[in-house]
Amino acid sequence: MGPRLTHWLIALAVMVLIYSGVIILMAHPRHYWGTAGNDLIEPLFEVPLGPNYHAIGWTRGTPFFDCTGGPETANRLVEPWNKNGWARSLHFLAAWFFLAGLIVYLAIGLFTGHARKYLLPQRSELGCKNPWHDVRAHLHLPMPSADPGPPYSILQKLAYALVVFVALPLTFLTGITMSPAISASYPILLDVFGGTQSARTIHFFTFAFLAVFVLVRLAMILLTGPARQLRGMILGR
Amino acid sequence: MSGKPLQLSRRALIGGLASSEGLLLSGCADQQPPTYGNLLRMGDNLTYGAQRALFSPTALAREYDR
């Protein structure tokens, strides 16, 4: 009951976070590594997204007088598209629900043995044969039929454990590292991730990983009987 | 006029700010921006409130060399 409720709370929050996060990313699709990043710094990579993609440019100087060769104003960077305030507010609002859900889920998972019982791979499952066999089974149609809920196959366990114990906490930590108020109080966050811009880039990669996870997971649900799987995810049977 | 431009380091400002801090803090206590019934603004106020409750009001952002 608890894991299912928090699953849906986190799932809903993550959907809103992805939506608002993409809007935020549209304002500045460039990513940097290190402590600093701006229009004048060479980006690590730039996501082809929104009106600001490859839109760094300079305005022409405006002459002060009506003659050529006279003094001009300095060049300025062109004004970027920058209307994402609502997305930031939505991102932070959803992040509160995400954080609450994640804390409750991790508490349930760690203290009731839920995680150890269902998510952590057993030593016997991690031999060379079993994961490989599972990978091969997933590459053929029809998908191996799976009953909703645990016991999970080895690939499921690895994917879920990676999401719950690595990707989600890492997304949260890199997210708060970008907050000047929080990094001022806890500069260790900047040391751990190597600077605000590095944290932002890691934040982007955890988002990409989670987005792919959601897509693959939805595909698996569709391929293994969506009605039955959804009933299991909601009602637990 | 001295040739040296006026430069106030952040450290030098701390002393000056400390004297007016009591005045400023008392003015800021329990002040939240208006929400106008907007859900997003209420969320923002939750974030503001949590930051003020959880984090040191005197913490300074890290300084970097140029």
Side-chain angles (χ1 to χ4, degrees):
Chain A
M1 185 71 187
R4 264 179 291 129
L5 268 179
T6 45
H7 161 264
W8 286 109
L9 175 64
I10 294 173
L12 190 68
V14 165
M15 288 304 107
V16 178
L17 284 165
I18 286 178
Y19 171 62
S20 53
V22 168
I23 306 285
I24 294 170
L25 186 61
M26 280 169 67
H28 196 81
R30 296 152 66 89
H31 286 87
Y32 314 88
W33 197 258
T35 53
N38 58 52
D39 284 356
L40 301 179
I41 290 180
E42 188 65 31
L44 198 63
F45 62 94
E46 189 167 355
V47 183
L49 173 77
N52 288 351
Y53 173 63
H54 281 178
I56 308 282
W58 297 89
T59 59
R60 303 269 301 270
T62 313
F64 284 108
F65 305 110
D66 247 354
C67 58
T68 52
E72 293 183 339
T73 59
N75 289 345
R76 292 178 184 172
L77 285 165
V78 290
E79 196 70 20
W81 174 87
N82 195 10
K83 286 180 182 164
N84 61 356
W86 64 271
R88 279 166 196 269
S89 298
L90 185 58
H91 206 67
F92 293 156
L93 182 59
W96 281 110
F97 290 96
F98 169 77
L99 178 62
L102 186 63
I103 288 175
V104 174
Y105 184 91
L106 287 178
I108 292 173
L110 295 176
F111 293 126
T112 66
H114 176 88
R116 191 157 33 87
K117 198 165 151 199
Y118 299 124
L119 296 185
L120 237 65
Q122 305 291 322
R123 192 176 288 266
S124 58
E125 289 176 308
L126 279 174
C128 212
K129 227 183 218 164
N130 185 41
W132 183 236
H133 181 261
D134 204 17
V135 169
R136 275 220 311 236
H138 279 82
L139 289 178
H140 291 107
L141 285 177
M143 232 8 105
S145 82
D147 287 328
Y152 299 126
S153 74
I154 182 67
L155 286 186
Q156 277 180 301
K157 280 186 174 180
L158 288 175
Y160 296 165
L162 204 60
V163 163
V164 167
F165 296 110
V166 180
L168 294 182
L170 191 61
T171 319
F172 172 72
L173 287 175
T174 50
I176 62 169
T177 305
M178 284 187 270
S179 159
I182 298 175
S183 70
S185 282
Y186 296 97
I188 188 175
L189 288 166
L190 293 171
D191 297 329
V192 167
F193 296 116
T196 312
Q197 294 302 326
S198 302
R200 182 169 177 266
T201 300
I202 299 170
H203 198 71
F204 172 77
F205 282 121
T206 53
F207 144 73
F209 172 76
L210 289 170
V212 169
F213 170 79
V214 169
L215 288 180
V216 171
R217 185 124 187 268
L218 290 178
M220 289 298 137
I221 289 171
L222 283 177
L223 287 173
T224 55
R228 197 171 56 114
Q229 295 285 8
L230 277 177
R231 197 189 62 204
M233 291 166 77
I234 295 169
L235 301 174
R237 59 173 193 267
Chain B
M1 297 290 275
S2 69
K4 194 170 173 250
L6 179 66
Q7 279 196 334
L8 276 178
S9 78
R10 208 164 56 181
R11 302 269 170 235
L13 278 171
I14 291 174
L17 282 178
S19 55
S20 53
E21 193 177 346
L23 197 71
L24 287 169
L25 278 183
S26 61
C28 289
D30 300 321
Q31 285 276 342
Q32 288 268 350
T35 63
Y36 307 111
N38 183 319
L39 189 68
L40 291 181
R41 284 176 184 248
M42 293 178 200
D44 284 342
N45 278 4
L46 172 65
T47 307
Y48 291 151
Q51 286 197 352
R52 274 146 193 69
L54 291 174
F55 304 119
S56 159
T58 57
L60 291 172
R62 178 169 285 183
E63 292 180 67
Y64 297 97
D65 300 328
R66 275 192 205 210

